């Protein structure tokens, strides 16, 4: 990795090029690839640097840029580490949602950990649990599906059970009524 000054400059350049309002995913990808062709190979390292500094505002901006780019090496691993550590206050839902979008099977354990640590909480943690269920559904590998089945069939709040069943497409099989479960 380059010097800290080079890293800072690259973060700022990425944010400037790709972080502007009104850019769609394809436009963001095209702009980054044409103006900073080697940036994707450095994004995971830059995210780690920002996490180490607890610079969560810029971390989240760069994370969202990376989420719109295809095949950013090491991106999923950085998010998994952040989710496991509980860092990035207030943005855990975003990290988990992006891991689901990436269909990152290595993230299943970290997402399950986030869910189990917060499943009995009210307020924002409840919504985090919903994001966990959705991300596990998007990943869809056998461990994720097994965990979702446990939620759907277990002693959990009705809305979580419903969402898990929907992700597995078994809500009819379990005899769930959406109005009862989500009302």
């Amino acid at each position: 990795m380059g010097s800290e000054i080079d890293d800072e400059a690259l973060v700022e350049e990425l944010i400037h090029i790709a972080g502007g309002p009104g850019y769609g995913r394809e436009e963001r990808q095209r702009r980054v690839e044409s103006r900073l062709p080697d940036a994707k190979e450095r994004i995971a390292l830059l995210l780690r640097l920002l996490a180490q500094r607890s610079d969560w505002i810029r971390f989240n901006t760069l994370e969202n840029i990376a989420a719109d780019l295809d095949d950013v090496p090491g991106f999923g691993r950085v998010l998994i580490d952040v989710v496991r550590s509980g860092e990035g206050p207030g943005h855990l839902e975003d990290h988990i949602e992006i891991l689901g979008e990436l269909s990152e099977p290595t993230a299943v354990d970290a997402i399950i950990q986030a869910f189990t640590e917060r499943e009995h909480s009210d307020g924002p943690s409840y919504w985090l649990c919903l994001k966990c269920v959705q991300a596990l559904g998007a990943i869809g590998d056998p461990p994720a599906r097994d965990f979702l089945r446990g939620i759907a069939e277990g002693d959990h709040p009705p809305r979580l059970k419903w969402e898990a069943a929907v992700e597995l497409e078994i809500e009819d099989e379990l005899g769930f009524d959406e109005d009862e479960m989500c009302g």
Side-chain angles (χ1 to χ4, degrees):
M1 185 140 115
S3 72
E4 280 193 33
I5 293 171
D6 292 343
D7 296 336
E8 289 294 321
L10 182 55
V11 169
E12 292 305 318
E13 185 69 10
L14 276 164
I15 290 170
H16 175 73
I17 290 171
Y23 297 137
R25 177 179 164 76
E26 293 82 16
E27 175 65 13
R28 184 175 275 183
Q29 173 123 346
R30 187 192 62 72
R31 289 174 61 86
V32 168
E33 287 177 348
S34 67
R35 302 224 355 232
L36 297 169
D38 67 337
K40 288 195 319 188
E41 284 69 38
R42 294 185 58 198
I43 287 175
L45 295 171
L46 295 170
L47 285 167
R48 284 201 187 282
L49 176 70
L50 294 171
Q52 288 169 355
R53 293 181 184 165
S54 297
D55 185 347
W56 298 113
I57 292 171
R58 289 178 33 192
F59 180 96
N60 291 317
T61 301
L62 188 56
E63 170 189 37
N64 288 321
I65 292 167
D68 279 348
L69 303 177
D70 294 329
D71 304 318
V72 175
F75 178 44
R77 182 77 250 162
V78 171
L79 293 183
I80 291 167
D81 292 345
V82 169
V83 167
R84 281 196 187 285
S85 71
E87 294 177 351
H91 296 281
L92 195 53
E93 289 178 25
D94 295 338
H95 308 323
I96 289 169
E97 182 176 14
I98 291 170
L99 286 169
E101 291 170 4
L102 293 173
S103 294
E104 186 70 47
T106 59
V108 170
D109 289 342
I111 295 169
I112 289 172
Q113 173 189 332
F115 180 93
T116 56
E117 289 175 355
R118 292 161 182 87
E119 73 176 302
H120 298 294
S121 300
D122 295 328
S125 293
Y126 177 77
W127 298 107
L128 172 79
C129 289
L130 284 177
K131 288 289 184 185
C132 290
V133 166
Q134 293 163 348
L136 291 169
I139 293 169
D141 72 348
R145 295 182 63 77
D146 290 346
F147 190 77
L148 289 174
R149 183 166 279 279
I151 294 170
E153 295 175 345
D155 185 25
H156 299 276
R159 177 76 188 265
L160 290 178
K161 292 173 65 135
W162 169 260
E163 291 293 335
V166 167
E167 290 296 332
L168 294 170
E169 299 178 349
I170 61 169
E171 66 274 21
D172 291 335
E173 172 189 323
L174 296 178
F176 287 173
D177 179 311
E178 182 176 9
D179 292 333
E180 287 178 23
M181 303 294 284
C182 298

